[in-house]
């Protein structure tokens, strides 16, 4: 009897707290209430939501029965120089000011304005720096800046590195691999001799912390701004080598990235090179699934060309919230009138755009000529894996595995430490922003919410967000790689 009375009192206290405008329930109450399913079991009564979710992940994440044995990854690779963004700009004697986005950076002033533009939004972005000499000067200053760190960089190389953590998996990496990068790659990764070059390509990663201030600009969350003068990756010069190497390697899965790098080369080049890329990708055997990893872009015509020409010839794509909204804006899809997301992206709006991509550019109909049947979406607070029914298996485990690696890697750990993470995902949300829609909720003991729209299925899980992230670069690549490792292709539906 007293337990029911205590539970009722706690619930009343919680409701009262919300009624009087408290934005977050006190920790003491959350320890007893496992929203949205009110539970009073002794097991959960002393656990935080983070503990319950993390424990559920460990129980529910299982590898598929049929796993990949060989994965080929290409084609962008480089050395990342990671440095404090504010610190480097101050070292370059640049004064703080107002933000302004630039599609291509031509000077230190452009760099400063674009950095501030994205820092004040807490958003990730990547830009091409057109002036080779100016870039080399900035790169030298970055490499010499106290605390600067060198890492494996480029989506393909980062995905390859993550895949190489699985000892039974053979990984082929094609891309411009210089001596420094080759030295840093996992020894399990095979690099064709044709991909080796005499010099490395460097990318500068300007990081900022949540709450960090520069002048009047304050970052709402931790993130990074990436820029480079990278011609090898910018022209996807390794693509043909990559495709040619697949016959001998015979992969079960191909992972492709780097298309975004061509944007900075100008319309004339990317129009021609994209046609060549489509031809090269089309030469890959039809029974091999292809995953395309997207990245930050600013040219709507270029994004639209990728959507029309490349997406129908790949099986799967990975992208974040900026890329998702820009894709919809480029193709005049749902919610294209929004300038940007306000805070945590609305699940219903995200769901609408994902559904539209698979309906318009995917294989949602059996007679469709498109191969696209899978999208792995990730944002800071939650991930959604959406698939056309009948093509993929083990998707609940796959989306949870992606969230788990985001939680651990951001904190620089091998496993999730519940004392260093926090739940930011909505506990209740809608399956769509428009009618008809279903009201859904997060159950921490079974932290994958599933819903359907026609023959398309959505799997969503929360991310346990690292309170003090050590490194944000490469998180999206690790998420996509992990999600692919836990995904299973259903053989009765060849692409």
């Amino acid at each position: 009897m007293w337990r029911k009375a205590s539970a009722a009192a706690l619930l009343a206290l919680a409701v009262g707290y919300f009624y009087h405008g408290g934005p977050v329930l006190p920790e003491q109450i959350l320890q007893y209430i496992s929203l949205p399913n009110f539970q009073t079991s002794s097991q959960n009564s002393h656990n935080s939501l983070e503990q319950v979710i993390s424990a559920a992940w460990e129980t529910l994440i299982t590898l598929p029965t049929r796993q990949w044995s060989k994965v080929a990854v290409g084609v962008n690779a480089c050395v990342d120089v990671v440095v404090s963004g504010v610190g480097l700009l101050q070292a370059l004697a640049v004064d703080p000011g107002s933000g302004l986005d630039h599609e291509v950076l031509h000077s230190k002033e452009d760099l400063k304005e674009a950095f501030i533009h994205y820092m004040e939004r807490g958003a990730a972005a990547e830009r091409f720096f057109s002036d080779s000499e100016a870039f080399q000067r900035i790169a030298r200053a970055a490499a010499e800046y106290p605390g600067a760190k060198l890492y494996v960089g480029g989506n393909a190389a980062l995905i390859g590195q993550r895949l190489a953590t699985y000892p039974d998996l053979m990984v082929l990496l094609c891309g411009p691999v210089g001596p420094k990068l080759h030295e840093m790659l996992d020894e399990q990764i095979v690099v064709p001799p044709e991909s080796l070059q005499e010099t490395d390509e460097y990318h500068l990663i300007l990081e900022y912390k949540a709450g960090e201030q520069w002048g009047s600009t304050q970052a709402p969350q931790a993130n990074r701004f990436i820029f480079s003068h990278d011609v090898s990756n910018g022209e996807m010069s390794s693509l043909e080598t990559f495709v040619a190497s697949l016959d001998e390697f015979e992969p079960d899965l191909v992972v492709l990235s780097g298309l975004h790098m061509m944007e900075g080369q100008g319309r004339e080049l990317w129009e021609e090179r994209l046609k060549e890329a489509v031809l090269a990708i089309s030469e890959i055997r039809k029974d091999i699934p292809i995953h395309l990893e997207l990245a930050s872009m600013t040219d709507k015509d270029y994004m639209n060309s990728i959507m029309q020409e490349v997406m129908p010839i790949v099986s799967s794509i990975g992208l974040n919230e900026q890329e998702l909204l820009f894709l919809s804006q480029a193709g005049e899809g749902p919610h294209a009138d929004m300038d940007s997301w306000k805070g945590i992206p609305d699940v219903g709006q995200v769901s609408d755009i994902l559904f539209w991509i698979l309906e318009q550019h995917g294989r949602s109909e059996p007679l469709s000529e498109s191969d696209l049947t899978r999208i792995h979406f990730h944002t800071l607070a939650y991930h959604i894996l959406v698939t056309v029914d009948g093509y993929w298996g083990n998707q609940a485990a796959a989306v949870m595995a992606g969230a788990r690696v985001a939680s651990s890697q951001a904190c620089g750990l091998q496993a999730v430490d519940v004392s260093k993470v926090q739940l930011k995902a909505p506990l209740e949300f809608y399956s769509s922003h428009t009618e008809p829609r279903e009201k859904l909720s997060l159950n921490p003991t079974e932290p994958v919410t599933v819903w359907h729209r026609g023959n398309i299925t959505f799997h969503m899980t929360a991310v346990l967000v690292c309170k003090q992230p050590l490194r944000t670069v490469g998180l999206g690549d690790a998420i996509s790689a992990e999600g692919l490792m836990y995904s299973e292709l259903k053989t009765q539906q060849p692409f």
Side-chain angles (χ1 to χ4, degrees):
M1 188 75 180
W2 65 270
R3 283 186 179 177
K4 289 184 178 178
S6 298
L10 277 169
L11 186 58
L13 179 58
V15 172
Y17 193 82
F18 275 121
Y19 182 78
H20 290 291
V24 180
L25 277 172
E27 187 67 31
Q28 297 94 320
I29 297 175
L30 281 177
Q31 287 176 345
Y32 288 93
I33 302 174
S34 191
L35 291 170
N37 292 341
F38 182 66
Q39 301 168 7
T40 58
S41 70
S42 58
Q43 181 184 355
N44 289 337
S45 63
H46 297 97
N47 291 342
S48 67
L49 291 182
E50 288 84 1
Q51 285 173 306
V52 176
I53 290 170
S54 181
W57 282 349
E58 296 311 312
T59 303
L60 298 170
I61 296 174
T62 55
L63 282 162
T65 51
R66 289 177 62 252
Q67 298 173 42
W68 318 109
S69 59
K70 291 181 176 182
V71 180
V73 188
V75 291
N76 60 329
C78 64
V79 175
D80 279 345
V81 182
V82 182
V83 65
S84 160
V86 173
L88 177 63
L89 289 168
Q90 287 174 331
L92 294 171
V94 176
D95 294 323
S98 55
L100 180 65
D101 197 9
H102 295 274
E103 291 189 6
V104 176
L105 308 178
H106 302 288
S107 64
K108 282 195 300 186
E109 194 67 21
D110 286 358
L111 170 62
K112 176 198 77 172
E113 291 175 346
F115 175 78
I116 291 172
H117 176 83
Y118 286 97
M119 180 182 174
E120 63 191 5
R121 289 162 176 76
E126 187 164 349
R127 295 291 180 267
F128 181 78
F129 200 103
S130 64
D131 187 327
S132 175
E133 289 186 14
F135 177 79
Q136 293 303 329
R137 287 194 296 272
I138 296 169
R140 279 195 296 273
E144 293 167 4
Y145 187 81
K149 293 183 174 67
L150 269 59
Y151 294 100
V152 170
N155 307 86
L158 285 163
I159 289 170
Q161 286 284 88
R162 182 66 205 173
L163 293 174
T165 61
Y166 290 85
D168 297 329
L169 184 68
M170 282 186 67
V171 181
L172 176 82
L173 173 65
C174 278
V177 178
K180 185 65 181 176
L181 177 59
H182 202 204
E183 174 192 313
M184 293 193 293
L185 287 174
D186 190 287
E187 59 185 20
Q188 197 172 312
I189 295 175
V190 178
V191 180
E194 299 83 2
S195 282
L196 298 173
Q197 58 182 43
E198 292 181 4
T199 56
D200 286 281
E201 299 287 358
Y202 286 91
H203 288 206
L204 303 191
I205 320 295
L206 274 53
E207 292 197 319
Y208 49 85
K209 297 181 176 68
E212 186 171 357
Q213 193 140 2
W214 190 37
S216 59
T217 302
Q218 186 170 23
Q221 63 189 34
N223 223 314
R224 80 283 181 196
F225 182 86
I226 305 174
F227 68 104
S228 66
H229 178 84
D230 182 344
V231 178
S232 296
N233 284 306
E235 294 177 353
M236 290 189 81
S237 57
S238 300
L239 182 61
E240 283 76 9
T241 300
F242 179 49
V243 174
S245 67
L246 299 181
D247 286 340
E248 185 180 344
F249 186 67
E250 296 184 327
D252 310 310
L253 170 69
V254 168
V255 180
L256 179 66
S257 62
L259 285 173
H260 64 287
M261 296 294 299
M262 292 202 292
E263 182 184 57
Q265 303 296 311
R267 186 181 187 110
E268 191 174 331
L269 185 143
W270 68 246
E271 274 189 341
E272 187 61 34
R273 192 71 183 110
L274 195 62
K275 289 175 189 171
E276 294 168 355
V278 168
L279 282 173
I281 297 164
S282 299
E283 290 174 11
I284 298 171
R285 279 195 355 234
K286 286 295 180 186
D287 60 332
I288 302 173
I290 304 168
H291 172 84
L292 172 66
E293 192 68 15
L294 293 175
S296 177
M297 286 179 261
T298 59
D299 186 321
K300 288 183 180 178
D301 290 340
Y302 183 52
M303 176 61 102
N304 201 42
S305 294
I306 290 172
M307 191 162 38
Q308 302 290 340
E309 298 171 41
V310 183
M311 284 189 191
I313 59 173
V314 301
S315 326
S316 167
I317 60 173
L319 75 176
N320 69 16
E321 74 276 13
Q322 270 93 36
E323 294 139 21
L324 183 77
L325 181 58
F326 188 66
L327 200 154
S328 187
Q329 290 168 342
E332 299 181 351
H335 315 298
D337 56 339
M338 288 197 309
D339 291 331
S340 61
W341 301 106
K342 304 293 186 287
I344 295 170
D346 178 79
V347 176
Q349 291 176 321
V350 167
S351 175
D352 290 341
I353 302 173
L354 292 170
F355 181 72
W356 168 76
I357 295 170
L358 286 179
E359 281 268 284
Q360 295 296 314
H361 304 284
R363 195 171 186 163
S364 61
E365 296 297 328
L367 297 177
S368 169
E369 293 183 1
S370 174
D371 290 331
L372 182 63
T373 52
R374 178 184 184 273
I375 305 174
H376 193 168
F377 167 82
H378 53 88
T379 187
L380 182 74
Y382 64 87
H383 297 171
I384 297 176
L385 195 49
V386 53
T387 51
V388 178
D389 295 346
Y391 292 91
W392 298 90
N394 208 44
Q395 293 307 278
V399 74
M400 286 187 286
R404 182 175 63 178
V405 80
S407 299
S408 59
Q409 187 167 305
C411 287
L413 302 169
Q414 295 299 312
V416 178
D417 181 342
V418 292
S419 69
K420 296 183 177 180
V421 295
Q422 58 187 326
L423 181 67
K424 289 191 173 185
L427 296 172
E428 291 188 334
F429 47 89
Y430 288 96
S431 62
S432 170
H433 194 65
T434 54
E435 299 294 344
R437 61 182 185 169
E438 184 182 356
K439 189 172 186 180
L440 301 163
S441 59
L442 171 69
N443 177 1
T445 59
E446 295 178 10
V448 176
T449 307
V450 182
W451 67 96
H452 307 272
R453 295 174 73 168
N455 65 337
I456 293 170
T457 300
F458 295 77
H459 290 82
M460 174 192 161
T461 194
V463 175
L464 300 179
V465 180
C466 187
K467 294 174 187 175
Q468 295 182 310
L470 296 178
R471 187 166 181 248
T472 59
V473 176
L475 268 188
D477 303 309
I479 290 162
S480 287
E482 200 78 350
L484 286 166
M485 280 305 299
Y486 282 82
S487 292
E488 183 174 6
L489 187 65
K490 293 188 177 179
T491 51
Q492 71 269 25
Q493 298 270 14
F495 290 101

